[in-house]
Amino acid sequence: QYSESRGWRSLFAGLQPCLAATAISQAVYFYLYSALRQAIVVSCFLANLSAYGRTEAIGVVGSLVVAGLAGCGNVLATTPVWVVATQMQALQRQTTAEQRNRTAWQIAVQLYKESGITGFWKGVLPGLVMVANPTLQYILYEWLTAKLLQLRRGSAASKALGKPGSTPRLGTGDVFLLTALAKLGATLVTYPMLLIKSRLQAMNSSTAHEARYSGVLDAGVAILRREGLAAFFKGMRLKMLQTVLAAALLMSIKEQVYQSTKAVMGSLASV
């Protein structure tokens, strides 16, 4: 509909700040994760836990805590960029071309005039709650993996009669499918909070009065009262597709870059 009435460029509204936010988000997250993880390792070493210091293993619980802290820091650092990007996308609903074609800088200036510096952190609370999404994904992935391996062990035992060497393993397709299912489950649980965050970040002076909210609780109650429970899952199908593809592409690219960098570093070290 947008491409027919306003041109195909309207489908890419807010692309630049979204790309900037994605790049900044990944850089901030992995930097904070590495820094916090290293700090824990050093603390354990100073506490005479030399095994920790040598292996640099902090355990599953430690990894989840570090990931959660890094995620919170990431949300606090990148929310202003996401707010501007969401505002640019929301402006595509306006009727005049002047409103729809505003730059990121113009939107940032207007946002500051309307809401002050705190306006750049709209929806930060639901964003912090969304940090739980990767944790839920990890828990679901481990549970699904255990169930699949248990099922295959039973099948292998009945066929191989307990012969050694018949331990089942996960293939690439298995990992992809289990990751997709885990991400779908985690997104399904946290999607209502994602919707509230998007609506809070899209608010501006041109937003209709009934679509303005004073906070997370007010937004949740208003949406439930006016639109019903189903409103919390609007657009979920597209979001599910985007989330799963993004997670799969991110992990695939990350692994490829890691392996390529490792190979290059190994070649340089041998030289």
Side-chain angles (χ1 to χ4, degrees):
Q1 182 179 359
Y2 278 132
S3 61
E4 290 179 359
S5 61
R6 299 174 182 173
W8 62 271
R9 292 179 181 272
S10 62
L11 298 175
F12 296 90
L15 177 62
Q16 291 181 345
C18 280
L19 291 176
T22 301
I24 295 172
S25 176
Q26 296 301 319
V28 170
Y29 176 80
F30 285 111
Y31 173 79
L32 289 176
Y33 181 87
S34 300
L36 291 170
R37 186 177 184 278
Q38 187 62 31
I40 292 178
V41 170
V42 172
S43 300
C44 293
F45 180 77
L46 293 177
N48 296 323
L49 297 179
S50 57
Y52 254 31
R54 287 197 302 268
T55 62
E56 295 191 354
I58 61 176
V60 175
V61 175
S63 296
L64 291 177
V65 171
V66 170
L69 292 175
C72 290
N74 177 35
V75 169
L76 293 174
T78 60
T79 293
V81 189
W82 286 114
V83 169
V84 173
T86 305
Q87 292 271 332
M88 292 187 71
Q89 293 168 346
L91 283 177
Q92 296 308 303
R93 301 175 183 175
Q94 302 300 321
T95 56
T96 64
E98 181 182 357
Q99 290 177 311
R100 296 195 301 268
N101 295 330
R102 287 180 180 176
T103 64
W105 176 253
Q106 290 174 328
I107 291 175
V109 171
Q110 180 185 359
L111 183 63
Y112 179 77
K113 291 179 179 179
E114 293 177 356
S115 307
I117 194 66
T118 57
F120 290 98
W121 276 271
K122 291 179 180 179
V124 68
L125 290 180
L128 291 173
V129 174
M130 288 293 296
V131 171
N133 184 285
T135 303
L136 291 175
Q137 177 187 346
Y138 176 83
I139 294 173
L140 287 172
Y141 177 81
E142 291 297 320
W143 182 79
L144 290 171
T145 299
K147 290 296 182 181
L148 179 60
L149 291 178
Q150 182 181 4
L151 181 63
R152 289 185 176 177
R153 286 192 192 100
S155 178
S158 62
K159 292 181 180 180
L161 298 177
K163 293 182 181 179
S166 59
T167 302
R169 294 183 179 181
L170 295 179
T172 303
D174 297 324
V175 173
F176 179 85
L177 179 60
L178 293 178
T179 302
L181 291 175
K183 192 64 177 179
L184 286 173
T187 304
L188 180 64
V189 173
T190 57
Y191 188 82
M193 196 60 66
L194 176 64
L195 182 133
I196 292 176
K197 184 189 76 169
S198 298
R199 292 202 178 187
L200 289 174
Q201 292 181 345
M203 286 192 308
N204 53 41
S205 59
S206 60
T207 302
H209 179 73
E210 61 273 11
R212 297 185 184 183
Y213 314 107
S214 60
V216 177
L217 182 60
D218 180 55
V221 173
I223 293 172
L224 182 62
R225 184 176 67 250
R226 297 169 185 168
E227 305 175 49
L229 184 62
F232 288 103
F233 299 94
K234 285 183 178 179
M236 187 177 66
R237 286 182 294 181
L238 286 177
K239 182 61 181 178
M240 288 292 190
L241 178 62
Q242 180 265 334
T243 299
V244 173
L245 288 178
L249 288 173
L250 176 62
M251 293 305 296
S252 300
I253 295 173
K254 177 180 176 295
E255 185 64 22
Q256 186 62 42
V257 171
Y258 172 77
Q259 294 296 337
S260 300
T261 304
K262 185 177 179 180
V264 172
M265 295 299 291
S267 300
L268 294 176
S270 62
V271 172

